[in-house]
PDB file of all heavy atoms in Angstrom:
ATOM      1  N   LEU A   1      -4.324 -15.198   1.540  1.00 95.00           N
ATOM      2  CA  LEU A   1      -3.473 -14.009   1.442  1.00 95.00           C
ATOM      3  C   LEU A   1      -2.093 -14.332   2.016  1.00 95.00           C
ATOM      4  O   LEU A   1      -1.966 -15.062   2.999  1.00 95.00           O
ATOM      5  CB  LEU A   1      -4.087 -12.837   2.209  1.00 95.00           C
ATOM      6  CG  LEU A   1      -5.484 -12.393   1.765  1.00 95.00           C
ATOM      7  CD1 LEU A   1      -5.984 -11.258   2.657  1.00 95.00           C
ATOM      8  CD2 LEU A   1      -5.481 -11.951   0.307  1.00 95.00           C
ATOM      9  N   TYR A   2      -1.057 -13.732   1.391  1.00 96.00           N
ATOM     10  CA  TYR A   2       0.313 -14.044   1.807  1.00 96.00           C
ATOM     11  C   TYR A   2       1.180 -12.792   1.806  1.00 96.00           C
ATOM     12  O   TYR A   2       1.091 -11.966   0.886  1.00 96.00           O
ATOM     13  CB  TYR A   2       0.937 -15.078   0.864  1.00 96.00           C
ATOM     14  CG  TYR A   2       0.157 -16.361   0.795  1.00 96.00           C
ATOM     15  CD1 TYR A   2      -0.782 -16.569  -0.211  1.00 96.00           C
ATOM     16  CD2 TYR A   2       0.347 -17.360   1.748  1.00 96.00           C
ATOM     17  CE1 TYR A   2      -1.520 -17.746  -0.265  1.00 96.00           C
ATOM     18  CE2 TYR A   2      -0.376 -18.540   1.697  1.00 96.00           C
ATOM     19  CZ  TYR A   2      -1.309 -18.720   0.688  1.00 96.00           C
ATOM     20  OH  TYR A   2      -2.038 -19.884   0.639  1.00 96.00           O
ATOM     21  N   PRO A   3       2.034 -12.622   2.832  1.00 97.00           N
ATOM     22  CA  PRO A   3       3.010 -11.524   2.799  1.00 97.00           C
ATOM     23  C   PRO A   3       4.105 -11.878   1.811  1.00 97.00           C
ATOM     24  O   PRO A   3       4.777 -12.892   1.964  1.00 97.00           O
ATOM     25  CB  PRO A   3       3.529 -11.480   4.239  1.00 97.00           C
ATOM     26  CG  PRO A   3       3.367 -12.891   4.732  1.00 97.00           C
ATOM     27  CD  PRO A   3       2.160 -13.447   4.046  1.00 97.00           C
ATOM     28  N   TYR A   4       4.277 -11.064   0.781  1.00 97.00           N
ATOM     29  CA  TYR A   4       5.198 -11.397  -0.301  1.00 97.00           C
ATOM     30  C   TYR A   4       6.565 -10.757  -0.117  1.00 97.00           C
ATOM     31  O   TYR A   4       7.596 -11.410  -0.192  1.00 97.00           O
ATOM     32  CB  TYR A   4       4.585 -10.977  -1.631  1.00 97.00           C
ATOM     33  CG  TYR A   4       5.440 -11.220  -2.835  1.00 97.00           C
ATOM     34  CD1 TYR A   4       5.888 -12.497  -3.139  1.00 97.00           C
ATOM     35  CD2 TYR A   4       5.810 -10.173  -3.675  1.00 97.00           C
ATOM     36  CE1 TYR A   4       6.676 -12.735  -4.263  1.00 97.00           C
ATOM     37  CE2 TYR A   4       6.591 -10.398  -4.798  1.00 97.00           C
ATOM     38  CZ  TYR A   4       7.022 -11.677  -5.083  1.00 97.00           C
ATOM     39  OH  TYR A   4       7.801 -11.900  -6.180  1.00 97.00           O
ATOM     40  N   SER A   5       6.576  -9.444   0.143  1.00 97.00           N
ATOM     41  CA  SER A   5       7.848  -8.739   0.311  1.00 97.00           C
ATOM     42  C   SER A   5       7.582  -7.359   0.880  1.00 97.00           C
ATOM     43  O   SER A   5       6.423  -6.931   1.002  1.00 97.00           O
ATOM     44  CB  SER A   5       8.575  -8.632  -1.035  1.00 97.00           C
ATOM     45  OG  SER A   5       9.884  -8.125  -0.865  1.00 97.00           O
ATOM     46  N   PHE A   6       8.668  -6.676   1.227  1.00 97.00           N
ATOM     47  CA  PHE A   6       8.597  -5.290   1.686  1.00 97.00           C
ATOM     48  C   PHE A   6       9.366  -4.402   0.721  1.00 97.00           C
ATOM     49  O   PHE A   6      10.389  -4.808   0.166  1.00 97.00           O
ATOM     50  CB  PHE A   6       9.225  -5.138   3.072  1.00 97.00           C
ATOM     51  CG  PHE A   6       8.358  -5.573   4.219  1.00 97.00           C
ATOM     52  CD1 PHE A   6       8.348  -6.893   4.631  1.00 97.00           C
ATOM     53  CD2 PHE A   6       7.568  -4.664   4.899  1.00 97.00           C
ATOM     54  CE1 PHE A   6       7.580  -7.314   5.699  1.00 97.00           C
ATOM     55  CE2 PHE A   6       6.786  -5.061   5.979  1.00 97.00           C
ATOM     56  CZ  PHE A   6       6.786  -6.390   6.375  1.00 97.00           C
ATOM     57  N   THR A   7       8.901  -3.171   0.548  1.00 97.00           N
ATOM     58  CA  THR A   7       9.681  -2.178  -0.174  1.00 97.00           C
ATOM     59  C   THR A   7      10.655  -1.534   0.808  1.00 97.00           C
ATOM     60  O   THR A   7      10.545  -1.711   2.027  1.00 97.00           O
ATOM     61  CB  THR A   7       8.780  -1.094  -0.790  1.00 97.00           C
ATOM     62  OG1 THR A   7       8.223  -0.282   0.266  1.00 97.00           O
ATOM     63  CG2 THR A   7       7.639  -1.726  -1.597  1.00 97.00           C
ATOM     64  N   SER A   8      11.601  -0.765   0.292  1.00 94.00           N
ATOM     65  CA  SER A   8      12.550  -0.086   1.169  1.00 94.00           C
ATOM     66  C   SER A   8      11.880   0.996   2.002  1.00 94.00           C
ATOM     67  O   SER A   8      12.455   1.470   2.985  1.00 94.00           O
ATOM     68  CB  SER A   8      13.689   0.518   0.340  1.00 94.00           C
ATOM     69  OG  SER A   8      13.180   1.451  -0.602  1.00 94.00           O
ATOM     70  N   SER A   9      10.662   1.380   1.621  1.00 94.00           N
ATOM     71  CA  SER A   9       9.896   2.374   2.390  1.00 94.00           C
ATOM     72  C   SER A   9       9.050   1.719   3.474  1.00 94.00           C
ATOM     73  O   SER A   9       8.197   2.378   4.064  1.00 94.00           O
ATOM     74  CB  SER A   9       8.991   3.183   1.454  1.00 94.00           C
ATOM     75  OG  SER A   9       9.743   3.857   0.476  1.00 94.00           O
ATOM     76  N   ARG A  10       9.243   0.408   3.685  1.00 95.00           N
ATOM     77  CA  ARG A  10       8.551  -0.376   4.712  1.00 95.00           C
ATOM     78  C   ARG A  10       7.114  -0.694   4.341  1.00 95.00           C
ATOM     79  O   ARG A  10       6.345  -1.164   5.176  1.00 95.00           O
ATOM     80  CB  ARG A  10       8.601   0.313   6.082  1.00 95.00           C
ATOM     81  CG  ARG A  10      10.010   0.483   6.640  1.00 95.00           C
ATOM     82  CD  ARG A  10       9.957   1.153   7.997  1.00 95.00           C
ATOM     83  NE  ARG A  10       9.191   0.368   8.956  1.00 95.00           N
ATOM     84  CZ  ARG A  10       8.677   0.868  10.079  1.00 95.00           C
ATOM     85  NH1 ARG A  10       8.844   2.162  10.369  1.00 95.00           N
ATOM     86  NH2 ARG A  10       8.005   0.096  10.908  1.00 95.00           N
ATOM     87  N   ASP A  11       6.718  -0.440   3.098  1.00 98.00           N
ATOM     88  CA  ASP A  11       5.382  -0.842   2.671  1.00 98.00           C
ATOM     89  C   ASP A  11       5.374  -2.344   2.430  1.00 98.00           C
ATOM     90  O   ASP A  11       6.323  -2.909   1.867  1.00 98.00           O
ATOM     91  CB  ASP A  11       4.967  -0.114   1.392  1.00 98.00           C
ATOM     92  CG  ASP A  11       4.824   1.385   1.598  1.00 98.00           C
ATOM     93  OD1 ASP A  11       4.499   1.793   2.733  1.00 98.00           O
ATOM     94  OD2 ASP A  11       5.045   2.152   0.634  1.00 98.00           O
ATOM     95  N   LEU A  12       4.314  -2.994   2.830  1.00 98.00           N
ATOM     96  CA  LEU A  12       4.189  -4.454   2.719  1.00 98.00           C
ATOM     97  C   LEU A  12       3.379  -4.820   1.478  1.00 98.00           C
ATOM     98  O   LEU A  12       2.323  -4.243   1.219  1.00 98.00           O
ATOM     99  CB  LEU A  12       3.499  -5.011   3.968  1.00 98.00           C
ATOM    100  CG  LEU A  12       3.098  -6.488   3.948  1.00 98.00           C
ATOM    101  CD1 LEU A  12       4.332  -7.383   3.853  1.00 98.00           C
ATOM    102  CD2 LEU A  12       2.268  -6.836   5.188  1.00 98.00           C
ATOM    103  N   ILE A  13       3.888  -5.782   0.710  1.00 98.00           N
ATOM    104  CA  ILE A  13       3.187  -6.301  -0.457  1.00 98.00           C
ATOM    105  C   ILE A  13       2.497  -7.596  -0.056  1.00 98.00           C
ATOM    106  O   ILE A  13       3.153  -8.551   0.364  1.00 98.00           O
ATOM    107  CB  ILE A  13       4.154  -6.558  -1.629  1.00 98.00           C
ATOM    108  CG1 ILE A  13       4.859  -5.259  -2.025  1.00 98.00           C
ATOM    109  CG2 ILE A  13       3.417  -7.148  -2.823  1.00 98.00           C
ATOM    110  CD1 ILE A  13       5.968  -5.453  -3.043  1.00 98.00           C
ATOM    111  N   VAL A  14       1.173  -7.617  -0.171  1.00 98.00           N
ATOM    112  CA  VAL A  14       0.375  -8.789   0.179  1.00 98.00           C
ATOM    113  C   VAL A  14      -0.296  -9.305  -1.083  1.00 98.00           C
ATOM    114  O   VAL A  14      -0.935  -8.550  -1.813  1.00 98.00           O
ATOM    115  CB  VAL A  14      -0.688  -8.447   1.241  1.00 98.00           C
ATOM    116  CG1 VAL A  14      -1.619  -9.649   1.472  1.00 98.00           C
ATOM    117  CG2 VAL A  14      -0.019  -8.055   2.550  1.00 98.00           C
ATOM    118  N   THR A  15      -0.139 -10.594  -1.349  1.00 97.00           N
ATOM    119  CA  THR A  15      -0.682 -11.169  -2.574  1.00 97.00           C
ATOM    120  C   THR A  15      -1.890 -12.045  -2.285  1.00 97.00           C
ATOM    121  O   THR A  15      -1.980 -12.706  -1.248  1.00 97.00           O
ATOM    122  CB  THR A  15       0.378 -12.016  -3.302  1.00 97.00           C
ATOM    123  OG1 THR A  15       0.797 -13.094  -2.454  1.00 97.00           O
ATOM    124  CG2 THR A  15       1.584 -11.171  -3.648  1.00 97.00           C
ATOM    125  N   GLY A  16      -2.827 -12.031  -3.250  1.00 96.00           N
ATOM    126  CA  GLY A  16      -4.014 -12.870  -3.187  1.00 96.00           C
ATOM    127  C   GLY A  16      -4.195 -13.585  -4.510  1.00 96.00           C
ATOM    128  O   GLY A  16      -3.304 -13.582  -5.366  1.00 96.00           O
ATOM    129  N   THR A  17      -5.346 -14.177  -4.711  1.00 93.00           N
ATOM    130  CA  THR A  17      -5.585 -14.980  -5.906  1.00 93.00           C
ATOM    131  C   THR A  17      -5.557 -14.160  -7.187  1.00 93.00           C
ATOM    132  O   THR A  17      -5.001 -14.585  -8.204  1.00 93.00           O
ATOM    133  CB  THR A  17      -6.932 -15.693  -5.799  1.00 93.00           C
ATOM    134  OG1 THR A  17      -6.963 -16.448  -4.580  1.00 93.00           O
ATOM    135  CG2 THR A  17      -7.147 -16.648  -6.968  1.00 93.00           C
ATOM    136  N   HIS A  18      -6.148 -12.954  -7.148  1.00 95.00           N
ATOM    137  CA  HIS A  18      -6.207 -12.102  -8.338  1.00 95.00           C
ATOM    138  C   HIS A  18      -5.698 -10.692  -8.090  1.00 95.00           C
ATOM    139  O   HIS A  18      -5.550  -9.919  -9.041  1.00 95.00           O
ATOM    140  CB  HIS A  18      -7.644 -12.009  -8.863  1.00 95.00           C
ATOM    141  CG  HIS A  18      -8.202 -13.307  -9.347  1.00 95.00           C
ATOM    142  ND1 HIS A  18      -8.834 -14.212  -8.513  1.00 95.00           N
ATOM    143  CD2 HIS A  18      -8.221 -13.861 -10.581  1.00 95.00           C
ATOM    144  CE1 HIS A  18      -9.225 -15.261  -9.209  1.00 95.00           C
ATOM    145  NE2 HIS A  18      -8.870 -15.081 -10.454  1.00 95.00           N
ATOM    146  N   THR A  19      -5.452 -10.335  -6.845  1.00 97.00           N
ATOM    147  CA  THR A  19      -5.051  -8.968  -6.531  1.00 97.00           C
ATOM    148  C   THR A  19      -3.817  -8.944  -5.638  1.00 97.00           C
ATOM    149  O   THR A  19      -3.514  -9.901  -4.924  1.00 97.00           O
ATOM    150  CB  THR A  19      -6.186  -8.202  -5.821  1.00 97.00           C
ATOM    151  OG1 THR A  19      -6.505  -8.865  -4.586  1.00 97.00           O
ATOM    152  CG2 THR A  19      -7.424  -8.128  -6.699  1.00 97.00           C
ATOM    153  N   ILE A  20      -3.111  -7.810  -5.704  1.00 98.00           N
ATOM    154  CA  ILE A  20      -1.953  -7.540  -4.860  1.00 98.00           C
ATOM    155  C   ILE A  20      -2.239  -6.238  -4.129  1.00 98.00           C
ATOM    156  O   ILE A  20      -2.668  -5.252  -4.748  1.00 98.00           O
ATOM    157  CB  ILE A  20      -0.672  -7.396  -5.701  1.00 98.00           C
ATOM    158  CG1 ILE A  20      -0.422  -8.662  -6.514  1.00 98.00           C
ATOM    159  CG2 ILE A  20       0.526  -7.090  -4.814  1.00 98.00           C
ATOM    160  CD1 ILE A  20       0.657  -8.507  -7.566  1.00 98.00           C
ATOM    161  N   ALA A  21      -2.023  -6.220  -2.822  1.00 98.00           N
ATOM    162  CA  ALA A  21      -2.266  -5.021  -2.031  1.00 98.00           C
ATOM    163  C   ALA A  21      -0.954  -4.450  -1.526  1.00 98.00           C
ATOM    164  O   ALA A  21      -0.062  -5.199  -1.100  1.00 98.00           O
ATOM    165  CB  ALA A  21      -3.189  -5.328  -0.856  1.00 98.00           C
ATOM    166  N   LEU A  22      -0.841  -3.132  -1.578  1.00 98.00           N
ATOM    167  CA  LEU A  22       0.311  -2.422  -1.015  1.00 98.00           C
ATOM    168  C   LEU A  22      -0.163  -1.771   0.270  1.00 98.00           C
ATOM    169  O   LEU A  22      -1.067  -0.930   0.258  1.00 98.00           O
ATOM    170  CB  LEU A  22       0.824  -1.373  -2.001  1.00 98.00           C
ATOM    171  CG  LEU A  22       2.097  -0.629  -1.583  1.00 98.00           C
ATOM    172  CD1 LEU A  22       3.287  -1.588  -1.556  1.00 98.00           C
ATOM    173  CD2 LEU A  22       2.381   0.533  -2.539  1.00 98.00           C
ATOM    174  N   ILE A  23       0.450  -2.155   1.393  1.00 98.00           N
ATOM    175  CA  ILE A  23      -0.013  -1.739   2.717  1.00 98.00           C
ATOM    176  C   ILE A  23       1.077  -0.947   3.424  1.00 98.00           C
ATOM    177  O   ILE A  23       2.237  -1.367   3.472  1.00 98.00           O
ATOM    178  CB  ILE A  23      -0.406  -2.971   3.555  1.00 98.00           C
ATOM    179  CG1 ILE A  23      -1.534  -3.735   2.839  1.00 98.00           C
ATOM    180  CG2 ILE A  23      -0.831  -2.577   4.952  1.00 98.00           C
ATOM    181  CD1 ILE A  23      -1.929  -5.020   3.527  1.00 98.00           C
ATOM    182  N   SER A  24       0.712   0.192   3.972  1.00 98.00           N
ATOM    183  CA  SER A  24       1.666   1.065   4.646  1.00 98.00           C
ATOM    184  C   SER A  24       2.034   0.491   6.003  1.00 98.00           C
ATOM    185  O   SER A  24       1.364  -0.402   6.528  1.00 98.00           O
ATOM    186  CB  SER A  24       1.058   2.456   4.833  1.00 98.00           C
ATOM    187  OG  SER A  24       0.052   2.417   5.840  1.00 98.00           O
ATOM    188  N   PRO A  25       3.115   1.010   6.634  1.00 96.00           N
ATOM    189  CA  PRO A  25       3.498   0.527   7.965  1.00 96.00           C
ATOM    190  C   PRO A  25       2.395   0.708   9.005  1.00 96.00           C
ATOM    191  O   PRO A  25       2.347  -0.033   9.988  1.00 96.00           O
ATOM    192  CB  PRO A  25       4.725   1.377   8.300  1.00 96.00           C
ATOM    193  CG  PRO A  25       5.306   1.745   6.975  1.00 96.00           C
ATOM    194  CD  PRO A  25       4.122   1.939   6.078  1.00 96.00           C
ATOM    195  N   SER A  26       1.502   1.670   8.788  1.00 95.00           N
ATOM    196  CA  SER A  26       0.401   1.888   9.728  1.00 95.00           C
ATOM    197  C   SER A  26      -0.758   0.924   9.511  1.00 95.00           C
ATOM    198  O   SER A  26      -1.702   0.898  10.296  1.00 95.00           O
ATOM    199  CB  SER A  26      -0.107   3.328   9.612  1.00 95.00           C
ATOM    200  OG  SER A  26      -0.696   3.547   8.326  1.00 95.00           O
ATOM    201  N   GLY A  27      -0.698   0.152   8.424  1.00 96.00           N
ATOM    202  CA  GLY A  27      -1.762  -0.801   8.138  1.00 96.00           C
ATOM    203  C   GLY A  27      -2.775  -0.327   7.118  1.00 96.00           C
ATOM    204  O   GLY A  27      -3.726  -1.053   6.810  1.00 96.00           O
ATOM    205  N   ALA A  28      -2.579   0.862   6.561  1.00 97.00           N
ATOM    206  CA  ALA A  28      -3.514   1.386   5.567  1.00 97.00           C
ATOM    207  C   ALA A  28      -3.225   0.785   4.195  1.00 97.00           C
ATOM    208  O   ALA A  28      -2.060   0.625   3.809  1.00 97.00           O
ATOM    209  CB  ALA A  28      -3.416   2.910   5.496  1.00 97.00           C
ATOM    210  N   ILE A  29      -4.284   0.456   3.449  1.00 97.00           N
ATOM    211  CA  ILE A  29      -4.109  -0.049   2.086  1.00 97.00           C
ATOM    212  C   ILE A  29      -3.879   1.138   1.153  1.00 97.00           C
ATOM    213  O   ILE A  29      -4.754   1.986   0.976  1.00 97.00           O
ATOM    214  CB  ILE A  29      -5.333  -0.866   1.650  1.00 97.00           C
ATOM    215  CG1 ILE A  29      -5.475  -2.109   2.525  1.00 97.00           C
ATOM    216  CG2 ILE A  29      -5.203  -1.265   0.185  1.00 97.00           C
ATOM    217  CD1 ILE A  29      -6.669  -2.984   2.178  1.00 97.00           C
ATOM    218  N   LEU A  30      -2.693   1.197   0.573  1.00 98.00           N
ATOM    219  CA  LEU A  30      -2.332   2.320  -0.289  1.00 98.00           C
ATOM    220  C   LEU A  30      -2.860   2.138  -1.706  1.00 98.00           C
ATOM    221  O   LEU A  30      -3.269   3.109  -2.349  1.00 98.00           O
ATOM    222  CB  LEU A  30      -0.806   2.465  -0.326  1.00 98.00           C
ATOM    223  CG  LEU A  30      -0.120   2.672   1.029  1.00 98.00           C
ATOM    224  CD1 LEU A  30       1.392   2.677   0.866  1.00 98.00           C
ATOM    225  CD2 LEU A  30      -0.600   3.978   1.659  1.00 98.00           C
ATOM    226  N   ARG A  31      -2.845   0.896  -2.208  1.00 98.00           N
ATOM    227  CA  ARG A  31      -3.351   0.633  -3.549  1.00 98.00           C
ATOM    228  C   ARG A  31      -3.489  -0.870  -3.747  1.00 98.00           C
ATOM    229  O   ARG A  31      -2.778  -1.652  -3.124  1.00 98.00           O
ATOM    230  CB  ARG A  31      -2.423   1.214  -4.623  1.00 98.00           C
ATOM    231  CG  ARG A  31      -2.933   0.999  -6.034  1.00 98.00           C
ATOM    232  CD  ARG A  31      -2.326   1.920  -7.033  1.00 98.00           C
ATOM    233  NE  ARG A  31      -2.900   1.683  -8.358  1.00 98.00           N
ATOM    234  CZ  ARG A  31      -2.654   2.428  -9.425  1.00 98.00           C
ATOM    235  NH1 ARG A  31      -1.834   3.469  -9.344  1.00 98.00           N
ATOM    236  NH2 ARG A  31      -3.225   2.149 -10.591  1.00 98.00           N
ATOM    237  N   ARG A  32      -4.424  -1.227  -4.629  1.00 98.00           N
ATOM    238  CA  ARG A  32      -4.582  -2.624  -5.042  1.00 98.00           C
ATOM    239  C   ARG A  32      -4.241  -2.738  -6.524  1.00 98.00           C
ATOM    240  O   ARG A  32      -4.608  -1.880  -7.324  1.00 98.00           O
ATOM    241  CB  ARG A  32      -6.013  -3.109  -4.800  1.00 98.00           C
ATOM    242  CG  ARG A  32      -6.410  -3.168  -3.326  1.00 98.00           C
ATOM    243  CD  ARG A  32      -7.789  -3.796  -3.180  1.00 98.00           C
ATOM    244  NE  ARG A  32      -8.247  -3.750  -1.815  1.00 98.00           N
ATOM    245  CZ  ARG A  32      -7.964  -4.649  -0.880  1.00 98.00           C
ATOM    246  NH1 ARG A  32      -7.206  -5.691  -1.205  1.00 98.00           N
ATOM    247  NH2 ARG A  32      -8.437  -4.528   0.349  1.00 98.00           N
ATOM    248  N   PHE A  33      -3.544  -3.812  -6.872  1.00 98.00           N
ATOM    249  CA  PHE A  33      -3.186  -4.082  -8.263  1.00 98.00           C
ATOM    250  C   PHE A  33      -3.860  -5.388  -8.685  1.00 98.00           C
ATOM    251  O   PHE A  33      -3.757  -6.398  -7.984  1.00 98.00           O
ATOM    252  CB  PHE A  33      -1.671  -4.225  -8.416  1.00 98.00           C
ATOM    253  CG  PHE A  33      -0.880  -3.117  -7.773  1.00 98.00           C
ATOM    254  CD1 PHE A  33      -0.296  -3.296  -6.529  1.00 98.00           C
ATOM    255  CD2 PHE A  33      -0.713  -1.898  -8.417  1.00 98.00           C
ATOM    256  CE1 PHE A  33       0.446  -2.294  -5.932  1.00 98.00           C
ATOM    257  CE2 PHE A  33       0.030  -0.884  -7.831  1.00 98.00           C
ATOM    258  CZ  PHE A  33       0.601  -1.075  -6.584  1.00 98.00           C
ATOM    259  N   HIS A  34      -4.520  -5.388  -9.829  1.00 98.00           N
ATOM    260  CA  HIS A  34      -5.160  -6.584 -10.349  1.00 98.00           C
ATOM    261  C   HIS A  34      -4.243  -7.214 -11.398  1.00 98.00           C
ATOM    262  O   HIS A  34      -3.794  -6.534 -12.320  1.00 98.00           O
ATOM    263  CB  HIS A  34      -6.522  -6.238 -10.957  1.00 98.00           C
ATOM    264  CG  HIS A  34      -7.490  -5.676  -9.966  1.00 98.00           C
ATOM    265  ND1 HIS A  34      -8.305  -6.468  -9.191  1.00 98.00           N
ATOM    266  CD2 HIS A  34      -7.738  -4.394  -9.592  1.00 98.00           C
ATOM    267  CE1 HIS A  34      -9.026  -5.704  -8.392  1.00 98.00           C
ATOM    268  NE2 HIS A  34      -8.706  -4.440  -8.618  1.00 98.00           N
TER     269      HIS A  34
END
């Protein structure tokens, strides 16, 4: 897993082999993209 970028809303984009996770500043997973 790798930190890819941040949105202007401070959400973190984390990338994996087949999925991308959008994580809030509090650490909650907001959504996964395949």
